[in-house]
Amino acid sequence: MRFSELQQLEFPIVSQGHQADWQPALEQHLPNSSLLTQWLLDPDSLTAKLKRHCQHFSVEVLGQRPGIIRPDEAKWLTESADQEQANATIREVILCCDGKPWVFARSVFPQSALDTAALKLGQLGNKPLGAHLFAQPDLQRSRIEVSTFSAQSRIGALHQCLGYPAHSLWGRRSCFTAAGQRVLVAEVFIGESIPAQIAATLIQDNTHD
């Protein structure tokens, strides 16, 4: 792992006992920053957007292996409540711009999606998931949900392990449907990212009020 400081953190970073407070992306749930809100609500590929902000884009894979769907994730991926404990593949990565961490991304998808040849989910390696999804001709995307992550959360700990000061972070998630399969993708802005820097500034402004 290139970010050796993260070896002290167990995979998955987001575990059963650390659930976010995901809310619909309505005005009352959004940050007091139009630029940060634009990042959260951007309907296009985040991978493509990150590539426009750097010379070299890369993906650091923290892990991809079978795991248990969390209840707040199951509502997107299963048809009934009694399937909440169904197995799924969990993929967690850090998206980097010019070698610096910008996004922690967590993707969850059932075995059927992993077995679907068109999606190539079992062959991702260090390639971005978004590039595969947005290449699908029948891609559909659910509404966006947003959440904050405190400095005490697992993602907050990851952010600090990478050498960044403790503060709350913003993330978003949505469910993609393609080739008859669903893939739930959550993205939290960390590190050097513009949204993370804005989030830190918002906290400082509130402190000074």
Side-chain angles (χ1 to χ4, degrees):
M1 180 182 294
R2 185 161 55 83
F3 295 118
S4 57
E5 56 268 46
L6 297 184
Q7 292 179 354
Q8 61 184 288
L9 300 178
E10 295 182 3
F11 177 88
I13 299 296
V14 178
S15 59
Q16 188 74 21
H18 297 82
Q19 298 183 15
D21 183 23
W22 293 107
Q23 299 290 338
L26 304 175
E27 183 177 358
Q28 63 266 34
H29 300 140
L30 293 169
N32 187 26
S33 164
S34 59
L35 181 56
L36 179 48
T37 296
Q38 288 172 20
W39 277 83
L40 291 170
L41 301 186
D42 193 327
D44 298 324
S45 166
L46 180 59
T47 297
K49 185 166 187 169
L50 294 179
K51 287 180 177 179
R52 294 195 295 269
H53 282 80
C54 63
Q55 297 296 318
H56 177 67
F57 173 83
S58 59
V59 178
E60 178 73 16
V61 180
L62 303 178
Q64 178 171 327
R65 66 188 73 150
I68 300 297
I69 298 177
R70 290 170 27 200
D72 68 299
E73 296 170 331
K75 68 177 184 178
W76 293 102
L77 299 175
T78 60
E79 298 296 338
S80 61
D82 60 1
Q83 291 180 294
E84 286 189 354
Q85 296 303 314
N87 289 330
T89 294
I90 298 171
R91 174 179 170 88
E92 293 183 341
V93 304
I94 296 177
L95 307 180
C96 303
C97 288
D98 296 326
K100 302 294 184 180
W102 273 52
V103 175
F104 166 82
R106 173 184 169 92
S107 306
V108 182
F109 42 88
Q111 181 65 40
S112 57
L114 191 66
D115 294 338
T116 300
L119 297 180
K120 302 180 180 178
L121 298 180
Q123 308 165 31
L124 286 173
N126 62 356
K127 298 176 182 177
L129 172 64
H132 285 269
L133 290 177
F134 277 87
Q136 300 302 314
D138 61 342
L139 181 68
Q140 294 182 320
R141 186 177 191 174
S142 73
R143 69 182 187 273
I144 292 175
E145 294 183 330
V146 297
S147 180
T148 55
F149 294 82
S150 72
Q152 291 72 42
S153 67
R154 290 290 297 275
I155 297 176
L158 176 147
H159 177 77
Q160 294 165 61
C161 279
L162 291 168
Y164 297 95
H167 62 77
S168 61
L169 304 162
W170 279 88
R172 66 179 193 171
R173 77 173 179 182
S174 53
C175 187
F176 294 87
T177 302
Q181 300 296 328
R182 300 176 187 173
V183 180
L184 182 64
V185 180
E187 299 153 331
V188 185
F189 295 101
I190 63 171
E192 300 285 328
S193 70
I194 294 171
Q197 301 304 313
I198 295 173
T201 301
L202 290 175
I203 293 170
Q204 291 173 359
D205 289 346
N206 291 336
T207 301
H208 294 156
D209 288 346

